[in-house]
Amino acid sequence: MASDIRTTELKSPIDLAEYLFRRLHEIGVRGVHGLPGDYNLVALDYLESAGLYWVGNCNELNAGYAADGYARIKGISAVITTFGVGELSAVNALAGAYSEYVPVVHIVGTPSTISQKNGMLLHHTLGNGDFNVFANMSKQISCEVAKLDDPREAPGLIDHTLRECWVQSRPVYITLPTDMVKKKVEGERLKTPIDLSYPTNDPEKEDYVVDVVLKYLRAAKNPVILVDACAIRHRVLEEVHDLVEKSKLPTFVAPMGKGAVNETLPNYGGVYAGDGSNEGVRERVESSDLVLTIGAIKSDFNTAGFSYRVSQLSTIDFHSNYVKVRFSEYPGVRMKGVLRKVVDQMDLSKTSVQSQPKPENLIEQSERDMSKDQTITQAWFWPRVGQWLRENDIVITETGTANFGIWETRFPAEVTAISQVLWGSIGYAVGATQGAALAAKDDGTDRRTILFIGDGSIQLTVQEISTMIRHGLKPIIFVICNDGYTIERYIHGMDASYNDIQPWKFIDLLPVFGADPNQSKTFQVKTKKELDDLLKDEEFSAAKYIQLVELYIPKKDAPKALKKTAEVSARTNSKES
């Protein structure tokens, strides 16, 4: 059992829960996702006094997805669950955040320290007296675990854990026992903000690596830049933008890096994903004699089935905790400092700049004549979406056709793309949309939040639309109705019943979830003309309230990149040891 601190020992006594929540507010959190449970109820009473507010989700899995989306816009997020049953429901979402480097603070209300010490047979336990089993599970998907069971140590643990969440850009796990919520702790620390600065590189090592990078850059005849997800997650976009704009080198993004680069720049060349690349991109990148990769995650779906054909001998990899030049690795040399010095020291007169493809949102010639065939196809849809998008949009794409189709769009400036290419949990995007839209609202911006999701995926997490309505959020939701799990069909079982779903009347969803008919609207579109007219409708595009579009695309139609990736995935799955 934790021992109390005598109040006379403290300069500025404050309740532990308030300390924790004030620190969350300090680092940028405003809305806190989660569900109430008897082990966290008293703690929730402290949110408002710390400047936070309770979001309240339909289930813990959705809450975790929403916290993930919120963090991708706001920089960090928090989700509160209850011991055992609540936290385990959120584990899938937190594992995805860990996989994709998203900083989420997971706070779990637990039984009192005395109950744990005595091994009491409590509800929400396994009935074996082991109160560490769930924390041990979450330890594998958290960069830091903090158990707040001692008021003397709790403030320091909180500060350290929140810093690690920010710096490592991964989830952390904090337990808050019921009897610790009101314990007095030292609040004097609150006068000093948590240090969220990144560790600096050893100057000599950093300068050496910079010299090596510049040497290879000067020698290259045909260098290019390839930007990926970890450039976003580890907050080096300012350095990346400066490098791209100053060097004028041909610049490409991996699928998970979509949105990391201003795609209106003249040296932006499109999406590189091996065989799934935009037209002309694969040839351009793979013919380069030097590829500067920034924050690469070379997973199967991010490389269209490991179809990269870039030699390590012509690659310099920049990562959050090391730089690799060809086959020489420099551990502990972080990319942020190196990139800044490369930008500052590069000599443009000695840098060779060649041309690159210029992607546009052009619809294929065969799809342009709408008088011949009104069927909405993937090949027609995604370039048309690219023409409709606006600066500062937040675009969320679900695992499936949307994830791959969005590769075929060229974004306006300042668009943020959210997807889950690596973890790939079906249904993620609904919760992430709620979180992202809420984060934009908390930031005081009027950014449009746009979701593209399949009719199968939405059935997993559809309840979170009610949370969007509850908080007055205004996303535009495109439900792609193509009769089931198309991505699974292309991997295996094209006509198998297990890839089928029960069709829903999606246009009825907003009324079912209680949306005000004067503050919501639904549409059903089955032809190119109907969709084209809708996208030209300024009232629709203004996104003044929540809107849902039931959009029909043929069952077996899929983006080219999905087809190629699924083919490789099927081969990988069938390989024998």
Side-chain angles (χ1 to χ4, degrees):
M1 182 176 173
S3 59
D4 291 348
I5 305 176
R6 294 180 60 178
T7 305
T8 54
E9 297 178 34
L10 304 174
K11 293 182 179 179
S12 303
I14 186 173
D15 289 2
L16 174 54
E18 184 172 356
Y19 184 97
L20 171 60
F21 293 154
R22 285 179 61 178
R23 282 304 203 194
L24 286 179
H25 184 277
E26 175 192 309
I27 61 177
V29 176
R30 295 297 179 267
V32 177
H33 292 87
L35 271 83
D38 62 332
Y39 294 130
N40 65 31
L41 291 175
V42 176
L44 298 183
D45 289 338
Y46 287 80
L47 289 172
E48 190 174 343
S49 63
L52 306 175
Y53 67 91
W54 181 244
V55 178
N57 299 91
C58 296
N59 59 57
E60 289 88 355
L61 175 62
N62 288 356
Y65 289 151
D68 181 303
Y70 188 97
R72 295 191 194 216
I73 299 300
K74 203 77 167 63
I76 197 165
S77 68
V79 59
I80 299 179
T81 62
T82 197
F83 182 72
V85 294
E87 60 180 305
L88 293 188
S89 291
V91 162
N92 176 22
L94 274 299
Y98 185 88
S99 169
E100 301 219 351
Y101 290 93
V102 181
V104 178
V105 180
H106 184 194
I107 301 167
V108 181
T110 69
S112 67
T113 56
I114 187 66
S115 297
Q116 295 185 48
K117 181 181 179 182
N118 292 336
M120 295 181 69
L121 190 63
L122 299 179
H123 62 287
H124 299 343
T125 71
L126 298 180
N128 60 1
D130 185 353
F131 288 88
N132 293 313
V133 60
F134 308 129
N136 290 338
M137 291 179 186
S138 287
K139 184 178 181 181
Q140 308 303 313
I141 53 171
S142 307
C143 69
E144 196 74 32
V145 172
K147 297 181 179 180
L148 306 183
D149 53 12
D150 186 331
R152 298 177 187 276
E153 297 178 358
L157 277 175
I158 290 169
D159 293 358
H160 170 74
T161 303
L162 296 184
R163 170 178 162 75
E164 290 305 302
C165 183
W166 179 271
V167 171
Q168 294 193 45
S169 193
R170 274 184 156 161
V172 294
Y173 177 91
I174 298 175
T175 62
L176 181 58
T178 55
D179 61 332
M180 288 294 295
V181 171
K182 295 184 176 183
K183 294 290 188 185
K184 296 298 182 182
V185 300
E186 181 58 79
E188 193 73 8
R189 296 176 65 107
L190 291 172
K191 295 179 180 179
T192 305
I194 298 174
D195 179 13
L196 299 179
S197 61
Y198 287 89
T200 56
N201 293 325
D202 176 276
E204 288 188 51
K205 289 182 180 178
E206 182 176 271
D207 288 341
Y208 177 79
V209 173
V210 170
D211 287 344
V212 172
V213 171
L214 290 173
K215 180 186 75 172
Y216 281 106
L217 189 56
R218 287 191 295 267
K221 304 297 183 185
N222 189 17
V224 302
I225 298 169
L226 177 61
V227 184
D228 208 342
C230 282
I232 304 170
R233 306 290 189 269
H234 293 290
R235 303 178 178 89
V236 295
L237 290 187
E238 182 179 345
E239 290 79 6
V240 169
H241 292 166
D242 289 349
L243 176 64
V244 171
E245 291 197 39
K246 180 178 178 180
S247 71
K248 296 181 170 52
L249 291 174
T251 299
F252 306 87
V253 295
M256 289 180 70
K258 188 83 170 138
V261 171
N262 181 354
E263 298 185 11
T264 67
L265 291 174
N267 52 324
Y268 173 72
V271 174
Y272 175 68
D275 291 343
S277 304
N278 293 160
E279 185 174 351
V281 170
R282 182 179 64 81
E283 295 80 4
R284 180 66 186 82
V285 172
E286 292 173 4
S287 65
S288 171
D289 60 348
L290 182 64
V291 181
L292 305 177
T293 74
I294 304 174
I297 297 179
K298 297 178 183 178
S299 68
D300 51 356
F301 280 11
N302 204 35
T303 62
F306 304 112
S307 58
Y308 272 25
R309 296 183 185 86
V310 177
S311 170
Q312 188 61 46
L313 279 171
S314 58
T315 302
I316 298 178
D317 295 313
F318 299 88
H319 289 281
S320 61
N321 56 357
Y322 72 95
V323 175
K324 187 174 183 179
V325 181
R326 303 176 81 176
F327 287 103
S328 298
E329 187 169 314
Y330 303 93
V333 179
R334 299 168 179 84
M335 62 180 167
K336 193 173 184 70
V338 173
L339 287 171
R340 173 51 57 199
K341 286 186 177 179
V342 168
V343 171
D344 292 343
Q345 298 178 26
M346 68 184 306
D347 186 343
L348 298 182
S349 67
K350 297 179 180 178
T351 304
S352 175
V353 179
Q354 304 295 327
S355 62
Q356 81 287 327
K358 297 188 180 299
E360 300 294 343
N361 291 309
L362 296 177
I363 297 170
E364 294 178 6
Q365 187 66 43
S366 61
E367 298 281 345
R368 291 181 194 172
D369 189 351
M370 292 195 292
S371 64
K372 291 182 179 179
D373 186 357
Q374 280 290 309
T375 303
I376 301 173
T377 62
Q378 298 279 349
W380 180 87
F381 178 62
W382 294 106
R384 182 65 186 89
V385 165
Q387 297 168 7
W388 172 72
L389 294 176
R390 297 178 175 178
E391 285 192 16
N392 295 309
D393 281 346
I394 300 169
V395 178
I396 300 101
T397 52
E398 176 60 68
T399 297
T401 57
N403 247 358
F404 292 88
I406 202 69
W407 303 2
E408 300 301 324
T409 65
R410 182 171 186 173
F411 286 164
E414 303 299 328
V415 168
T416 300
I418 295 177
S419 62
Q420 206 187 46
V421 176
L422 177 55
W423 186 243
S425 184
I426 292 177
Y428 158 82
V430 183
T433 297
Q434 182 262 293
L438 191 70
K441 182 179 178 181
D442 283 355
D443 273 340
T445 65
D446 59 354
R447 302 178 71 183
R448 296 192 307 179
T449 304
I450 304 159
L451 167 64
F452 298 97
I453 188 167
D455 54 359
S457 297
I458 195 172
Q459 293 190 6
L460 277 75
T461 49
V462 68
Q463 313 98 310
E464 222 48 45
I465 292 177
S466 70
T467 309
M468 302 177 200
I469 295 168
R470 179 184 178 190
H471 287 277
L473 305 180
K474 307 171 185 178
I476 299 176
I477 301 169
F478 290 89
V479 181
I480 301 170
C481 299
N482 52 6
D483 290 329
Y485 301 118
T486 300
I487 186 171
E488 316 287 15
R489 294 188 194 282
Y490 273 92
I491 294 173
H492 183 79
M494 178 61 75
D495 297 303
S497 61
Y498 48 72
N499 286 325
D500 297 336
I501 60 168
Q502 169 62 34
W504 285 7
K505 294 181 179 179
F506 293 103
I507 56 172
D508 293 339
L509 283 178
L510 299 188
V512 164
F513 287 126
D516 182 342
N518 296 316
Q519 293 295 316
S520 61
K521 207 161 186 178
T522 60
F523 307 86
Q524 185 183 78
V525 293
K526 295 186 175 182
T527 68
K528 291 176 180 175
K529 185 178 187 309
E530 288 174 348
L531 182 57
D532 195 55
D533 289 344
L534 181 63
L535 297 181
K536 291 176 180 176
D537 184 336
E538 182 53 38
E539 183 179 352
F540 169 76
S541 298
K544 296 178 181 178
Y545 38 73
I546 187 170
Q547 299 175 99
L548 187 148
V549 182
E550 191 177 272
L551 170 75
Y552 286 81
I553 291 180
K555 178 178 181 177
K556 297 182 180 180
D557 188 19
K560 291 181 290 186
L562 185 152
K563 294 177 182 178
K564 292 176 180 177
T565 305
E567 182 182 341
V568 175
S569 182
R571 287 201 303 267
T572 301
N573 291 344
S574 63
K575 281 182 180 178
E576 297 182 3
S577 58

